Every structure is written in structure tokens, then in C-alpha cells.
Amino acid sequence: MDNNESVYDHADKYIISSDIFSKNSEYFLPRKNKTLIICSGNIIQTGNIETVGRDSDLIELYTALERFIKSETGDEGTSELTAREIEVLKELVNGLTIKEIADKLCISANTAVSHRKNISAKLGIRSISGLSVYAIMNGLV
């Protein structure tokens, strides 16, 4: 983080824009469990990463901030996903369709759909953009 790195190193939590995150991801990735990203769109809960949409109403914003402030600083990682779910997640984030993922991983389309549902259920993330944020923050892509 350039000249201000020593100032940021002592922070307990970080609230940053998605632009700041993308420009300084090498700094914030190791601190993902104590970073809140403000981005366009709606709130996305990604396990130990919280994002808040700029267009969120006050109740959503308050709830997200409260959850973020009360959250533990322990790193959860990706241990809740199986190895196969991580493979499917990587391919989803890379833009492959369910059929393409099934063909690439030599599984049926129904199995790929099941993995996608399980990933969404485990992480509480339904959108590809939310899954992308999760994958980036956990170093999967």
C-alpha cells in the first residue's frame, strides 16, 4: 500500500472500495478476514468476506456493518468446500457453462448442477459475481 502501509498494518478492520481492493489486492488478500468491500450491486456474504453494495438501503448497510464489526478475525479459508466443488467453482468463475464444466471435468451435467447448488448453499452466494469475489479473495483464481 505504498507509503501508508505502516499506518494500515495496525488497523483491526478495513472498509474499502472495490477499486482500492483491485489495485491493492496483494495487500488485502492476506487480510481478507478483516476487510469489508464497498461495491456496486447488493450485499454478498462470502464466508469471511463481506461486501456491501453502494445502492443498499440503510437496513442492509447497518446489518452488513454490524455483522462485519462482530465477526471474528480468524481465517476460515475454503475448507467448507470439497476439492471437486473448488474445481467447479474455478470453472464457473472462468466463465464456463454447466455443460462445458461437465465435459471438462468428465462428470454429468446433473452432477455439475448439484455441485453448483452445493457451492451456493455452503457459501450463501448465488451470483457468479459473488462467487468470483469469493474465489479471488481465497486465492482460487
Side-chain angles (χ1 to χ4, degrees), residues 123-140:
L123 300 178
I125 306 168
R126 303 191 72 178
S127 68
I128 294 296
S129 61
L131 291 172
S132 296
V133 169
Y134 178 87
I136 291 167
M137 294 295 285
N138 285 282
L140 300 175

Side-chain angles (χ1 to χ4, degrees), residues 44-136:
I44 304 167
Q45 179 83 34
T46 57
N48 58 348
I49 307 156
E50 186 86 40
T51 63
V52 176
R54 283 186 273 239
D55 300 328
S56 299
D57 66 28
L58 288 176
I59 294 172
E60 289 174 319
L61 180 60
Y62 175 79
T63 303
L65 286 172
E66 183 177 49
R67 200 171 36 237
F68 176 67
I69 290 167
K70 290 180 180 179
S71 69
E72 296 291 325
T73 57
D75 189 4
E76 296 171 14
T78 59
S79 60
E80 58 193 291
L81 297 179
T82 66
R84 188 56 126 185
E85 288 168 345
I86 291 171
E87 286 180 285
V88 171
L89 175 60
K90 288 178 183 179
E91 301 306 333
L92 283 168
V93 169
N94 286 326
L96 272 62
T97 65
I98 291 295
K99 171 121 177 58
E100 292 169 332
I101 293 169
D103 292 343
K104 184 172 183 176
L105 300 179
C106 299
I107 57 177
S108 73
N110 287 339
T111 301
V113 168
S114 292
H115 285 308
R116 169 72 161 93
K117 287 179 182 178
N118 292 339
I119 292 165
S120 291
K122 287 180 179 181
L123 300 178
I125 306 168
R126 303 191 72 178
S127 68
I128 294 296
S129 61
L131 291 172
S132 296
V133 169
Y134 178 87
I136 291 167

Side-chain angles (χ1 to χ4, degrees), residues 13-67:
K13 305 253 182 185
Y14 303 92
I15 300 175
I16 59 172
S17 71
S18 55
D19 291 338
I20 298 274
F21 172 76
S22 63
K23 290 176 186 172
N24 300 287
S25 61
E26 71 285 344
Y27 180 83
F28 288 106
L29 279 174
R31 295 157 180 86
K32 62 188 172 198
N33 56 331
K34 56 183 192 172
T35 301
L36 173 70
I37 301 172
I38 300 175
C39 60
S40 59
N42 295 323
I43 296 173
I44 304 167
Q45 179 83 34
T46 57
N48 58 348
I49 307 156
E50 186 86 40
T51 63
V52 176
R54 283 186 273 239
D55 300 328
S56 299
D57 66 28
L58 288 176
I59 294 172
E60 289 174 319
L61 180 60
Y62 175 79
T63 303
L65 286 172
E66 183 177 49
R67 200 171 36 237

